[in-house]
Amino acid sequence: MPNPAVFVPHFHWDREWYEPFQVFRHRLVTALDTVLETAEADPDFRFTVDGQMAAVEDYLEMRPENRDRVAALVREGRLAVGPWLILLDEFLCSGETVVRNLQMGWAAAERLGGAMPVGYLPDMFGHIAQMPQILARAGIEHAALWRGVPGTVDGHAFRWRAPDGSEVRTEFLFDGYDNGLDVLLVPDRIRSALAEYAGMTAGRWGGDPVLAMAGTDHNAPDPRLAEWLRKASGEERPLTVATLDEYIRGHVRDEVTAVVTGELRSHVRGNILPGVLSVRLGLKQRMAAAERTVDHAERMNALWSGRDDSAFLALAWHKIIESTAHDSVVGSGTDETCDQVAARLAEAAQTARAVRDAALAEPAAGVPGDAHLVANPLPSPRTALVEVDVVAAPEGSTLVATTADGAAHPVQLVSHAPTVLSDERLDASRLERVLRRIHRRELFGLLINGCELTPNSLVFHLAEVPDGPFDLMTLRAEVAAAAAANPGEWRVRTLAQARATALVAVPVPAAGLAAFRVGAADDRPAAPAPRPATATATADTLSNGLVEVAVAADGTLDVTGVDGTVLSGVGRLVDGGDRGDSYNYAPPAHDVLVSEPVRIGVELLESGPLRARLRVTRVYEWPEALADGDRDRRGGRTVPTPVDMLVEVRAGEPFVRISTSFLNRSADHRLRLHVPLPLPVTTSASAGQFAVTERGLTAEGGWGEYPLPTFPASTFVSAGPATVLLDHSAEYELVDDGSALALTLLRAIGSISVNIHPLRDEPAASEIPAPGAQDLGMRIENRFAVLPWAAGWQGANAVALAEEFRNDALVTRGTGPGGAPLPPDAAGVRVDGRDVHVSGIRRITDPEHGPGTELRLAAMRDTPTAVRVTGAFTEATTVDLLGRPLAPEPVRDGLELDLGPWEIRTVVLR
């Protein structure tokens, strides 16, 4: 007997793409109007809203009067909504963002009557390794997806296993999320067309019903769909209309035996479009900055503020999550779409920054105004290097930093600020205009510390923290009298207090606070303070006792690690043509690779003792664009392009920080930075989204897309003895038969998609120009660090070091009375454990259990690890990823947790 068939009416809704958000929303409202009318007119009709609540929220914002209609259909099970807030690109955001996406989507769906308990991931460009654990720890047992599934899966479902062993049954949409549309093209032929399709795919279904996904991008199904299917249904092959959840949980019977472990990035059954990892670099950097800012804001608000700013934090998260959409942060939209994504991410960061700064202002009120407060966002103690503006030392004196325990710490001067801010000569009749510049006490961004008024001369002395009172009204009267008595030319000078920019190394407790004051050293004995190793520099070398750097003749770097590992040629730049599009890189058939500079210069910037810096400038002749009329050749015209490479070592750090910067004047090209390896390797590993994923030299192909072995990395990537710590999500590849690790610094292209692509059979979208994706005239900056260690990323403690590299300490000036004693250090939550990543610390409020602090941990290793959590709490509860209590945890002078390999654990402390 033929398999029955289940049709799932749905649409796939790209919130923004080849049109900006509001244009697509206009279409969305029309589509969902049609869905509601169809469902209310036909009781057999069901609809699945793409697994993302953003479409429902966007609709109800325009149609608030329809909320009850939507909720009624959700409660009846005829409208499946959630569980996600938005269908995200899983590789271009943090693991914590993935969790928040699920949490916010689930909560929004619950408010309408309940979320679809299926991890629907229909159109993402591959899937992260830990997605099964994320779903399982939210109580979701099923997933459904299309792209990235390996060729070993020959049925319509498999068991998808995360690195920790968690599994979800996964429906494989092997023919895409629109496989039912061809069957519906001619309503009178549905029965015969379905028979043909079922026959072609019979080997996949076993005894289960054929799943026909009846929908596509940006369109509601025909209102007559259920009627067509009733007419086509028969005893021999019954046809049913269902939601995706109803199909998976109500119609599937065959036991699933195929198991797939880890990430899904195969090209066998669908394009995964890996070029999105590197196009529009600025969006990836803005995403990382916004995520980092909201994370810091949550930690500061939870630990150091009496104010609950959860509404602002929720707004910031919502804007970040909106921007993770798989056609948003990837950069595959039009210029106006990408501009809107960038603005949204900036707004998220600004909202979070306001919360962060307000939270720090509370403890800063207890710090004297002539001192500074340092906040450590990481739950482990560290010596933080901070840069502050201070009063310059008198001539012949040196500056030291003193902490609350009386210990003295070294200070490195970086620069001096100008002291003469203005020197003017004007007639006495214009002195009143000068006084209008003063706002109460502020002048030129500083505060008036005093004035000297003598015949035909007025001198303002400014300071950040003034001494004594100031009376503007009295000064106005005195100046008016002096001007009347002394007509003619006056000299008006504005002098700032002599100030300098200083680097200070400050010990800070775990997730804690420390105050320090910088002043001139005196003869009084200071308490001994641990001194970090000294950073030193010569004209072409850097060292700090842990890592050494020498600039080679070609401008690359030879880096020696603490264990003697040497990486030679680090920083080699290779520029080639790119005739591809936003989805896929493609080299011109006749490419020109440029890897040798025409000029090299090295400049010593800082020589320590806390930070040593060199700037290496290499000038390259890069082709200006592809050849006119021939996209398979680079043009003959070249433009000289200086590339600055800032090389830095800090006291106490076992890695070298590297920043590259250049003004891009070339189109249609890809620039990569190489880290050559001492010996060839066959595997690499990259960290991101709660896992470290190992990959080989090739990718699995078999569809219409060439399987380039370019892969994503979020926090670090490692190959052999070279580990690179990252500032933002990036693309990398092992090149030269595994002899070098290549990081993409820029991929500049001019079209969303191209119709004829040498490495992809079918267009990924329309051939719409995207000139902004060329980044012409933009300064392109990248920041990373190179960590040499023979034992690889685990031996190098890369999980912890990557967090230190990405998360600078926060510093703010005190606002209390100047000269007062420094407050003692204050500790927050401390987490001890090898290879443990803390992805979030935030304030929560539970109506039943009261306020608490939520802590999310991930074991980033393949063996069990013991974790100890200490702080001001007496109770602890393990909760699932949706915040539902699972089990109380014993607290005895802290919390002891045993995490399994790659386990994600969430606990609430009270």
Side-chain angles (χ1 to χ4, degrees):
M1 180 175 176
N3 298 58
V6 177
F7 283 77
V8 175
H10 76 103
F11 57 40
H12 174 54
W13 206 271
D14 300 293
R15 194 167 185 262
E16 54 199 358
W17 182 18
Y18 56 83
E19 294 282 9
F21 162 57
Q22 297 295 358
V23 174
F24 268 139
R25 172 148 74 171
H26 193 269
R27 300 179 189 175
L28 170 70
V29 170
T30 300
L32 280 178
D33 280 346
T34 300
V35 167
L36 294 186
E37 292 163 4
T38 304
E40 290 168 344
D42 189 338
D44 289 340
F45 185 77
R46 303 285 193 275
F47 191 78
T48 299
V49 193
D50 205 28
Q52 54 178 336
M53 281 300 298
V56 180
E57 288 186 351
D58 294 341
Y59 173 76
L60 290 177
E61 190 174 345
M62 296 293 104
R63 292 279 195 269
E65 68 277 11
N66 287 345
R67 185 176 186 85
D68 289 344
R69 296 172 65 195
V70 171
L73 291 170
V74 172
R75 289 193 299 268
E76 292 170 14
R78 297 202 293 131
L79 192 67
V81 298
W84 300 102
L85 177 59
I86 207 160
L87 295 181
L88 71 163
D89 186 286
E90 300 167 32
F91 292 97
L92 292 176
C93 62
S94 70
E96 186 64 25
T97 299
V98 178
V99 172
R100 300 302 180 91
N101 188 339
L102 184 57
Q103 289 177 343
M104 295 182 83
W106 189 276
E110 286 291 297
R111 290 191 292 269
L112 282 175
M116 177 176 70
V118 177
Y120 186 47
L121 306 161
D123 199 29
M124 286 73 162
F125 308 150
H127 304 278
I128 58 174
Q130 287 282 36
M131 184 58 78
Q133 184 179 179
I134 291 171
L135 295 174
R137 288 185 179 266
I140 297 174
E141 300 176 349
H142 299 272
L145 50 82
W146 167 31
R147 304 183 195 264
V149 178
T152 54
V153 176
D154 56 8
H156 73 99
F158 60 95
R159 299 208 65 81
W160 187 13
R161 183 177 297 162
D164 77 312
S166 301
E167 289 185 356
V168 290
R169 182 200 174 279
T170 303
E171 188 67 28
F172 178 25
L173 308 177
F174 58 89
D175 270 344
Y177 54 78
D178 59 356
N179 70 314
L181 288 189
D182 287 348
V183 173
L184 300 172
L185 280 176
V186 182
D188 291 340
R189 291 195 66 249
I190 289 176
R191 188 178 301 179
S192 59
L194 179 60
E196 293 173 12
Y197 178 75
M200 289 188 298
T201 59
R204 287 197 176 267
W205 300 111
D208 287 336
V210 174
L211 170 62
M213 298 293 289
T216 188
D217 296 358
H218 317 132
N219 283 285
D222 193 294
R224 297 166 292 177
L225 173 62
E227 179 186 341
W228 294 343
L229 296 177
R230 281 193 293 268
K231 290 180 180 179
S233 183
E235 291 184 9
E236 184 177 333
R237 189 190 299 276
L239 309 184
T240 305
V241 177
T243 64
L244 182 62
D245 179 37
E246 287 174 330
Y247 170 78
I248 290 173
R249 299 203 296 167
H251 293 273
V252 172
R253 294 290 179 268
D254 279 3
E255 182 179 348
V256 177
T257 57
V259 176
V260 178
T261 299
E263 73 175 2
L264 306 179
R265 289 194 64 84
S266 169
H267 304 255
V268 167
R269 291 295 305 182
N271 298 335
I272 64 168
L273 311 171
V276 300
L277 298 173
S278 51
V279 73
R280 296 196 193 257
L281 167 72
L283 291 182
K284 282 64 172 176
Q285 293 174 325
R286 284 181 181 271
M287 174 61 70
E291 289 178 322
R292 192 155 47 237
T293 306
V294 74
D295 178 37
H296 291 177
E298 283 193 328
R299 297 181 188 213
M300 296 303 108
N301 182 259
L303 297 173
W304 305 115
S305 176
R307 171 176 169 168
D308 184 357
D309 267 333
S310 56
F312 285 94
L313 293 167
L315 174 63
W317 272 117
H318 200 287
K319 290 187 176 295
I320 288 172
I321 293 165
E322 289 176 65
S323 303
T324 64
H326 65 285
D327 287 305
S328 296
V329 69
V330 299
S332 59
T334 61
D335 288 353
E336 59 181 340
T337 294
C338 293
D339 289 346
Q340 188 172 22
V341 176
R344 190 185 301 127
L345 287 169
E347 191 176 352
Q350 293 155 9
T351 305
R353 188 179 73 207
V355 174
R356 180 199 68 193
D357 293 350
L360 285 178
E362 295 180 42
V367 175
D370 59 346
H372 289 84
L373 176 72
V374 180
N376 177 13
L378 300 180
S380 54
R382 68 197 291 199
T383 296
L385 188 64
V386 296
E387 192 169 293
V388 292
D389 177 69
V390 298
V391 177
E395 190 174 346
S397 299
T398 58
L399 293 175
V400 296
T402 307
T403 45
D405 58 2
H409 303 269
V411 170
Q412 176 181 330
L413 291 181
V414 176
S415 64
H416 285 82
T419 56
V420 180
L421 302 185
S422 71
D423 189 344
E424 305 167 90
R425 295 183 183 274
L426 44 81
D427 188 78
S429 63
R430 298 181 60 198
L431 289 179
E432 174 59 27
R433 298 185 183 184
V434 172
L435 298 182
R436 292 177 190 170
R437 300 170 181 168
I438 303 171
H439 301 277
R440 290 172 294 280
R441 190 169 190 166
E442 180 272 329
L443 178 60
F444 297 161
L446 296 170
L447 299 178
I448 295 175
N449 197 35
C451 298
E452 297 176 32
L453 180 60
T454 56
N456 299 97
S457 175
L458 175 61
V459 181
F460 294 104
H461 294 278
L462 308 184
E464 285 205 354
V465 182
D467 302 318
F470 170 75
D471 188 339
L472 177 59
M473 298 306 294
T474 299
L475 178 63
R476 286 183 183 278
E478 292 175 348
V479 169
N486 300 278
E489 184 179 81
W490 277 64
R491 185 182 186 188
V492 179
R493 290 184 297 160
T494 306
L495 307 179
Q497 191 176 35
R499 304 195 70 82
T501 301
L503 288 172
V504 184
V506 184
V508 196
L513 306 174
F516 70 94
R517 177 184 280 120
V518 175
D522 54 29
D523 296 331
R524 292 174 296 174
R531 296 296 177 95
T534 299
T536 60
T538 68
D540 57 3
T541 66
L542 301 172
S543 178
N544 65 0
L546 298 175
V547 64
E548 296 179 358
V549 183
V551 181
D554 63 356
T556 63
L557 310 175
D558 296 334
V559 182
T560 304
V562 68
D563 66 347
T565 297
V566 179
L567 302 176
S568 298
V570 172
R572 178 173 179 255
L573 297 178
V574 179
D575 185 77
D578 191 342
R579 61 142 300 171
D581 53 31
S582 66
Y583 292 103
N584 296 79
Y585 160 78
H590 307 285
D591 202 1
V592 174
L593 298 180
V594 180
S595 59
E596 300 302 322
V598 295
R599 278 196 313 280
I600 300 167
V602 183
E603 180 183 3
L604 173 61
L605 301 179
E606 297 175 19
S607 56
L610 299 177
R611 183 174 73 189
R613 283 176 161 179
L614 295 170
R615 179 165 53 225
V616 181
T617 301
R618 291 170 287 178
V619 181
Y620 295 86
E621 290 287 344
W622 289 341
E624 189 175 42
L626 296 178
D628 292 339
D630 185 357
R631 293 186 57 79
D632 270 322
R633 296 180 183 276
R634 299 191 82 177
R637 293 189 301 273
T638 63
V639 290
T641 306
V643 180
D644 288 333
M645 183 167 65
L646 182 66
V647 188
E648 173 184 322
V649 298
R650 296 182 178 183
E653 291 184 343
F655 49 81
V656 54
R657 295 171 179 258
I658 299 174
S659 300
T660 59
S661 174
F662 63 94
L663 184 68
N664 183 43
R665 300 171 59 199
S666 298
D668 306 310
H669 69 127
R670 181 181 69 174
L671 176 67
R672 301 206 285 190
L673 181 141
H674 287 212
V675 179
L677 305 174
L679 294 172
V681 298
T682 57
T683 61
S684 63
S686 76
Q689 299 84 31
F690 305 123
V692 180
T693 302
E694 188 171 295
R695 305 180 180 98
L697 294 175
T698 60
E700 185 181 34
W703 189 245
E705 180 180 58
Y706 184 82
L708 281 175
T710 52
F711 298 112
S714 291
T715 56
F716 67 79
V717 57
S718 184
T723 298
V724 180
L725 312 180
L726 301 171
D727 174 71
H728 59 271
S729 296
E731 172 191 89
Y732 77 91
E733 181 181 359
L734 287 177
V735 297
D736 302 331
D737 297 322
S739 295
L741 177 65
L743 297 176
T744 303
L745 302 185
L746 173 69
R747 200 166 73 81
I749 52 86
S751 180
I752 290 180
S753 177
V754 293
N755 292 335
I756 304 300
H757 193 294
L759 302 184
R760 189 186 66 230
D761 285 351
E762 60 177 310
S766 300
E767 194 167 274
I768 299 172
Q774 297 281 16
D775 281 329
L776 287 170
M778 302 294 292
R779 181 150 294 278
I780 307 301
E781 298 179 342
N782 284 273
R783 187 175 77 96
F784 50 92
V786 176
L787 173 62
W789 202 280
W793 67 269
Q794 284 185 300
N797 197 23
V799 172
L801 292 177
E803 287 300 284
E804 289 194 22
F805 172 70
R806 289 168 67 92
N807 294 275
D808 289 334
L810 310 172
V811 61
T812 187
R813 181 178 291 281
T815 57
L822 297 175
D825 291 357
V829 175
R830 176 167 177 163
V831 178
D832 292 295
R834 180 81 176 189
D835 295 332
V836 174
H837 170 55
V838 178
S839 70
I841 303 173
R842 64 163 174 164
R843 178 200 305 264
I844 63 164
T845 301
D846 185 325
E848 182 179 351
H849 302 96
T853 301
E854 183 186 81
L855 181 71
R856 191 155 12 259
L857 313 160
M860 302 284 281
R861 60 191 300 173
D862 57 8
T863 56
T865 186
V867 180
R868 177 173 171 78
V869 182
T870 52
F873 61 92
T874 57
E875 300 177 12
T877 304
T878 291
V879 301
D880 72 5
L881 282 185
L882 298 180
R884 298 172 296 207
L886 297 176
E889 301 288 349
V891 177
R892 302 183 187 91
D893 190 29
L895 172 63
E896 306 283 347
L897 297 172
D898 293 318
L899 298 187
W902 308 109
E903 179 185 353
I904 304 167
R905 181 83 68 90
T906 307
V907 294
V908 174
L909 311 175
R910 291 186 171 89

